[in-house]
Amino acid sequence: MKQTYNHVQFILVFLSVLLLFPLAGCWSSHEIEEQSLGVGMAFDKAKESMIEKELDEQGEGYAKKNLITSTYQLITPQVASSTTKQGGSQQKSYVNVSETGDSAFQMVRELSLRSDTPLISHHMKVIVIGEALARSYSLERLVNQNLRDNDLRPSCLVLISKGRASDTLESKTAGEIPSFRLYGMLDNTYRTTRILPPMSLIKLESKFQSGSSFLLQNVLSANGEIKFAGAAIIKGKTNKMIGFLNEEELEGLTWITGKGRGGLVKSFDKKTGQPIAYEIESMKSHIKPHVKGNNISFDVHIESEGRLSENWVVSGNPSENQFLQKAQKTSEKEVKHLVRNVVEKMQKEYQVDVAGFGKQLRIKHPRVWMRVKENWDQTFSEVPINYHVKLTIKDYGMSGSNK
């Protein structure tokens, strides 16, 4: 009996010792204070830094072709410590480091020769690609390493810059981290129809696989200031950028897709020329394909409910049905103009479908789609499209009349 008791006691002690091992944490881990946190990346056409030029001249650089300049936005222990001590009022909260070469993976590893804190990419927020580079190289090749890298989260967002992408990772505001600013601005889709739904790396991969043309949010930068301004058009067959939609054209595309969460439509009263602002509370769109023999056509049905948020027409009473109907018709006319304008740009200038017409044809008429999918962008450029827009003003604000 005593022997059995001792045996049980030994097992319990042994198990207790084993339980101590998980409490030790990750044996192969590194302290956060010893890491450089990568939060943003920018890819541009090659532009060597001074230190890289000097090394190349001395023959100390590595074998490469100077095709791409990668800029990495880092939060380093030194920056974080300095910012904390100075209250964040003077010191930048980030540091940007650039490397030029022809291999994205090799450029990342080259940073290890310039810093004692290794780069980790678990917190990477955005990847910005410069216009010149996006026109010259397939986006699939440019982000190939990022898609394969297990350290990089597939939720990282991708943007296009009209100008050098590295400029979008600069800020004049003390304490601000530009990558976080870009990431946060994409949450403003509920306030405007001029921001695309965020395009993450994993969504971008699906676009590459589908072979369809698509859009990426465009960002402008100047003197540390940035602004979202339209969208870049990516051709499906080449995955290269071929042009831009401006802000108004992006508005029209949002109405076609029905993916807007908020925003406004500004129109002008025909009689007085004064502005009327229709605020969007809901939006939905339905693209209906029609097939007759070899002929394909589409009907786009757009519906929205909203409120009269601003009215400069002093002769009209917003509470009167006649005035509301007039304001609705004026706003509907403006939406039709936006839609026609962007469809003409897609069909006539760029000959690409970035609004999802082909997707609806594939769903409703799969056999027809199999016949036309290889040259769909070209076919789409000649397809007739009709529009049906219905806006309903349900609310006209606190003011019942203007005097």
Side-chain angles (χ1 to χ4, degrees):
M1 184 71 179
K2 185 177 180 180
Q3 186 177 4
T4 303
Y5 173 78
N6 289 337
H7 182 68
V8 171
Q9 189 178 35
F10 173 78
I11 293 175
L12 290 174
V13 171
F14 180 73
L15 291 174
S16 299
V17 172
L18 286 178
L19 288 173
L20 292 176
F21 288 97
L23 298 178
C26 299
W27 292 347
S28 60
S29 68
H30 299 279
E31 297 295 333
I32 190 70
E33 293 82 2
E34 299 173 357
Q35 309 291 313
S36 288
L37 303 181
V39 294
M41 281 193 293
F43 294 130
D44 288 297
K45 266 203 165 181
K47 185 178 180 181
E48 286 188 291
S49 65
M50 294 301 295
I51 187 172
E52 289 177 298
K53 287 181 180 179
E54 187 173 338
L55 288 173
D56 285 344
E57 289 172 1
Q58 295 176 7
E60 299 294 336
Y62 61 95
K64 61 179 180 176
K65 295 179 181 178
N66 292 331
L67 303 177
I68 302 169
T69 294
S70 300
T71 302
Y72 308 90
Q73 185 154 97
L74 311 176
I75 302 176
T76 67
Q78 295 84 355
V79 169
S81 175
S82 178
T83 302
T84 302
K85 290 178 181 178
Q86 298 186 28
S89 58
Q90 302 294 329
Q91 181 75 19
K92 281 186 176 182
S93 299
Y94 63 92
V95 60
N96 289 344
V97 182
S98 296
E99 186 72 28
T100 300
D102 51 12
S103 165
F105 185 53
Q106 188 173 28
M107 285 186 280
V108 170
R109 291 305 173 90
E110 283 296 307
L111 297 182
S112 302
L113 305 179
R114 300 167 61 179
S115 173
D116 61 341
T117 54
L119 167 66
I120 59 172
S121 304
H122 310 313
H123 301 280
M124 195 70 67
K125 298 296 182 184
V126 293
I127 298 173
V128 188
I129 302 173
E131 172 190 356
L133 195 67
R135 287 184 183 274
S136 303
Y137 297 96
S138 161
L139 261 63
E140 188 173 14
R141 292 184 178 181
L142 291 175
V143 301
N144 180 272
Q145 189 269 331
N146 305 118
L147 288 167
R148 294 172 180 271
D149 191 351
N150 292 331
D151 287 341
L152 203 69
R153 293 181 180 177
S155 58
C156 179
L157 303 181
V158 183
L159 306 169
I160 292 288
S161 169
K162 196 170 187 178
R164 290 197 70 80
S166 58
D167 292 341
T168 67
L169 299 185
E170 297 289 349
S171 174
K172 287 184 175 180
T173 305
E176 182 177 68
I177 300 175
S179 294
F180 289 179
R181 174 180 59 177
L182 286 168
Y183 190 86
M185 285 172 61
L186 287 165
D187 290 334
N188 291 332
T189 51
Y190 73 99
R191 299 187 65 86
T192 177
T193 52
R194 299 185 178 190
I195 298 180
L196 283 171
M199 179 70 75
S200 63
L201 273 174
I202 195 66
K203 289 182 180 178
L204 192 62
E205 171 71 1
S206 69
K207 294 293 184 182
F208 295 152
Q209 296 299 323
S210 70
S212 59
S213 299
F214 59 95
L215 298 176
L216 287 176
Q217 184 69 52
N218 176 50
V219 57
L220 296 177
S221 59
N223 300 320
E225 298 291 332
I226 61 169
K227 179 189 178 184
F228 285 162
I233 302 172
I234 312 300
K235 183 79 171 178
K237 282 193 173 183
T238 62
N239 287 321
K240 294 181 180 180
M241 197 193 87
I242 60 172
F244 289 99
L245 296 181
N246 63 29
E247 294 179 57
E248 188 178 85
E249 290 160 351
L250 181 53
E251 273 192 276
L253 185 122
T254 302
W255 281 103
I256 293 174
T257 61
K259 292 182 179 179
R261 295 169 53 199
L264 63 90
V265 176
K266 186 181 74 173
S267 58
F268 294 90
D269 181 67
K270 186 176 181 180
K271 184 176 180 180
T272 65
Q274 296 298 325
I276 297 173
Y278 170 83
E279 183 180 2
I280 303 164
E281 293 185 350
S282 68
M283 174 195 297
K284 60 181 180 180
S285 174
H286 175 62
I287 299 175
K288 186 175 182 180
H290 302 282
V291 177
K292 291 184 178 180
N294 292 325
N295 298 320
I296 301 171
S297 62
F298 291 92
D299 280 321
V300 181
H301 298 270
I302 297 171
E303 294 182 13
S304 173
E305 292 183 350
R307 66 195 302 267
L308 186 64
S309 288
E310 188 176 12
N311 172 34
W312 285 57
V313 184
V314 295
S315 60
N317 186 341
S319 62
E320 294 180 357
N321 287 335
Q322 186 177 1
F323 178 82
L324 288 178
Q325 290 174 4
K326 185 178 179 181
Q328 285 176 179
K329 294 298 181 184
T330 303
S331 299
E332 287 173 356
K333 184 178 179 181
E334 176 62 19
V335 172
K336 287 180 181 179
H337 164 72
L338 292 170
V339 171
R340 286 196 183 100
N341 191 35
V342 71
V343 169
E344 184 175 357
K345 190 77 169 279
M346 288 190 292
Q347 289 187 310
K348 305 306 178 186
E349 184 172 345
Y350 292 118
Q351 297 184 346
V352 292
D353 171 20
V354 291
F357 288 93
K359 178 181 178 181
Q360 295 304 316
L361 182 65
R362 175 177 59 82
I363 294 172
K364 300 294 175 61
H365 302 278
R367 289 184 179 179
V368 176
W369 173 250
M370 292 300 294
R371 175 167 52 86
V372 301
K373 70 175 185 177
E374 289 301 321
N375 295 295
W376 171 243
D377 281 341
Q378 178 63 40
T379 302
F380 169 74
S381 66
E382 301 171 357
V383 167
I385 302 173
N386 300 308
Y387 318 101
H388 311 274
V389 179
K390 175 61 178 176
L391 306 186
T392 303
I393 297 176
K394 298 186 66 177
D395 182 17
Y396 45 80
M398 295 177 63
S399 175
S401 63
N402 293 336
K403 296 181 180 179

